[in-house]
Amino acid sequence: MGNIGSTSTWVVGGPVGLGLAAYMYDTQIRDRNSQNTKNRIPELPEEVVDRIQAYLPVSSYFRSRTVSKRWHASLFAPSFFEIRTQVHHKEAWMFILSYRHCRNWSYAYDPTFDTWHKVPLSFLPPDFMYPTAAAGGLICIRAYVDGDQVLSVCNPLLKYWRELPPWQEDRIDPVIGIDVNPITKEYRIIAVGSYESGAMTEVFDSRCNRWTATGSLPHKMSFARSAFCNGLFYCMTAGPPDALLAYNIDQGMWRVVPVSRPSFLWYGDLVEHFGRLLLVGALRVDQRFEGVRIWELRELVAEWVEVEAMPDRLFKEFYRKGKMFYSFQCVGSGSFLYLHVKKTPRVLMCDLGSHPPTWRWLPNSPTCTDWSEVSIWGFAIDPCLSASV
């Protein structure tokens, strides 16, 4: 484990080894040119450089772009993006951040190499310390400035950030969601008060750089779990009454989804998985926790359909490690679901892309003095690092 760009992220062999060989070759060219200009070796053609870099994992970009100005510029060129999309899927990373100290403690799990990377957020001002949402390579972080809540958006890899304009309404710890257009990289952020009955919803659009007030909530939303899926922002209220709400961000309207919660559901998280809305929750029967299940929303038949269950062996270990089992977190990132019980240092991963789905513990997480204040977020890293704030 090391900082992004450290040599520990390089692996020789296969397409990645090809990228490393190209890096070493290009470095040797520069060294020889500087030592003996008479024996100049021609540099690699631009198309070859783009194709080699396209095979590199995101964690290696920070190393490869130091080779030369041309390598650095090629990472942001449209031609590189086209080649990259042909040979590589987006890399889905899972971030873990300290809820109150994310500037100094933030890491990302890289499933390509099954390792953790330290991703410092020290470039943010000291007041920005409360992560609230993430998507498409961007993280939303709250701050308290002179008694008011302020929201910022940052790209943790490129270390770009910006403070958003203030909300039109005064809000106390609002529920935040962010939706990033994968093609244009434009994004919209939804904010709705979590303690206010009938609080007005506001949406920030990066294209016009302003918040727009829209419809009110049909229910009081307390401690809601939320997820974006197919252009809709879903929220599950803590009740009473319990309800699943959906917000159409284009129409600016809320509606109640006519679906009952699964029987014996004690606690659950909403997760988007390749256009499917999933509910990952714990079952409690006669005061005993009986397992963790995954359901998919089938709105046409108005029900949650069970699609996967945590193996009993892993559930016993998962449950035993958490004193407050009802407060576990689950996030989706690419093909993977990551589950974490608060106050514990381990994360359990479910690979829904395999048949049948597989479960396993991640490598030991980074050391943290207080795991009760750790939040996890998952999102796909943009392949050409162009997620703009």
Side-chain angles (χ1 to χ4, degrees):
M1 179 173 62
N3 290 332
I4 285 292
S6 66
T7 55
S8 63
T9 63
W10 288 88
V11 175
V12 179
V16 179
L18 175 63
L20 177 56
Y23 164 74
M24 298 173 63
Y25 174 71
D26 210 24
T27 303
Q28 292 173 358
I29 289 176
R30 292 189 293 115
D31 292 342
R32 292 176 184 177
N33 286 344
S34 61
Q35 295 173 4
N36 187 356
T37 57
K38 293 183 179 180
N39 298 322
R40 180 177 297 275
I41 302 176
E43 293 191 356
L44 295 173
E46 184 173 341
E47 182 180 353
V48 175
V49 172
D50 287 346
R51 185 161 295 277
I52 290 173
Q53 289 193 100
Y55 279 96
L56 295 174
V58 170
S59 56
S60 299
Y61 287 173
F62 297 88
R63 179 87 172 185
S64 65
R65 68 180 183 177
T66 63
V67 172
S68 64
K69 292 182 179 180
R70 181 162 67 92
W71 277 57
H72 182 278
S74 66
L75 292 177
F76 303 92
S79 58
F80 167 73
F81 179 76
E82 292 178 4
I83 297 175
R84 171 79 186 192
T85 55
Q86 295 173 9
V87 300
H88 229 306
H89 295 293
K90 289 187 176 181
E91 295 182 46
W93 285 10
M94 189 272 294
F95 274 66
I96 56 175
L97 304 95
S98 171
Y99 184 66
R100 298 179 185 273
H101 307 284
C102 67
R103 291 181 66 256
N104 302 317
W105 196 91
S106 57
Y107 291 82
Y109 172 72
D110 180 357
T112 302
F113 291 117
D114 192 28
T115 190
W116 294 92
H117 303 293
K118 182 175 178 58
V119 187
L121 302 182
S122 53
F123 60 91
L124 293 171
D127 291 330
F128 289 93
M129 60 181 68
Y130 302 100
T132 60
L138 300 178
I139 300 179
C140 292
I141 300 178
R142 281 190 297 113
Y144 290 94
V145 180
D146 297 329
D148 296 325
Q149 289 195 22
V150 179
L151 192 67
S152 71
V153 176
C154 77
N155 182 319
L157 299 186
L158 294 183
K159 303 185 184 304
Y160 294 159
W161 75 278
R162 61 166 300 193
E163 182 179 319
L164 300 185
W167 297 305
Q168 298 183 21
E169 274 197 2
D170 292 333
R171 299 186 179 277
I172 302 175
D173 295 335
V175 173
I176 299 293
I178 178 171
D179 184 39
V180 180
N181 187 309
I183 299 176
T184 66
K185 311 307 175 188
E186 297 165 344
Y187 58 90
R188 291 181 291 185
I189 299 173
I190 181 174
V192 56
S194 56
Y195 296 107
E196 312 240 354
S197 179
M200 188 66 66
T201 305
E202 292 186 56
V203 175
F204 175 83
D205 194 326
S206 64
R207 293 173 300 178
C208 53
N209 192 40
R210 70 170 182 268
W211 292 93
T212 301
T214 59
S216 300
L217 280 169
H219 284 274
K220 181 177 181 179
M221 188 165 60
S222 176
F223 303 103
R225 297 291 168 177
S226 60
F228 263 106
C229 184
N230 296 325
L232 298 176
F233 184 62
Y234 289 92
C235 294
M236 179 170 285
T237 69
D242 294 320
L244 178 65
L245 310 179
Y247 177 78
N248 189 311
I249 196 169
D250 293 322
Q251 299 176 1
M253 297 177 57
W254 287 94
R255 65 180 176 87
V256 178
V257 180
V259 58
S260 300
R261 59 188 289 157
S263 300
F264 306 109
L265 176 67
W266 174 258
Y267 178 89
D269 249 340
L270 295 176
V271 179
E272 188 273 341
H273 177 71
F274 295 118
R276 303 157 59 196
L277 183 68
L278 304 181
L279 171 62
V280 183
L283 297 181
R284 192 180 188 190
V285 182
D286 297 330
Q287 306 302 313
R288 290 173 53 109
F289 288 110
E290 297 293 339
V292 172
R293 301 289 188 269
I294 301 175
W295 297 269
E296 179 182 350
L297 177 64
R298 304 283 175 82
E299 194 167 351
L300 292 178
V301 295
E303 65 177 324
W304 292 100
V305 177
E306 183 175 323
V307 294
E308 177 61 12
M310 181 185 294
D312 290 339
R313 173 183 56 82
L314 287 175
F315 170 71
K316 292 177 181 178
E317 190 175 0
F318 186 70
Y319 178 35
R320 186 170 59 245
K321 291 182 177 299
K323 297 180 180 179
M324 298 178 66
F325 181 68
Y326 58 84
S327 59
F328 77 89
Q329 286 180 280
C330 179
V331 300
S333 187
S335 298
F336 309 120
L337 299 183
Y338 299 94
L339 294 89
H340 169 243
V341 178
K342 285 190 175 181
K343 298 183 182 293
T344 67
R346 298 187 69 189
V347 179
L348 184 62
M349 182 180 76
C350 174
D351 183 0
L352 291 178
S354 61
H355 302 285
T358 57
W359 297 75
R360 70 176 179 88
W361 293 102
L362 296 190
N364 289 336
S365 305
T367 302
C368 180
T369 56
D370 188 359
W371 274 90
S372 65
E373 292 191 348
V374 171
S375 297
I376 63 175
W377 306 100
F379 53 83
I381 297 295
D382 185 82
C384 62
L385 305 178
S386 62
S388 174
V389 300

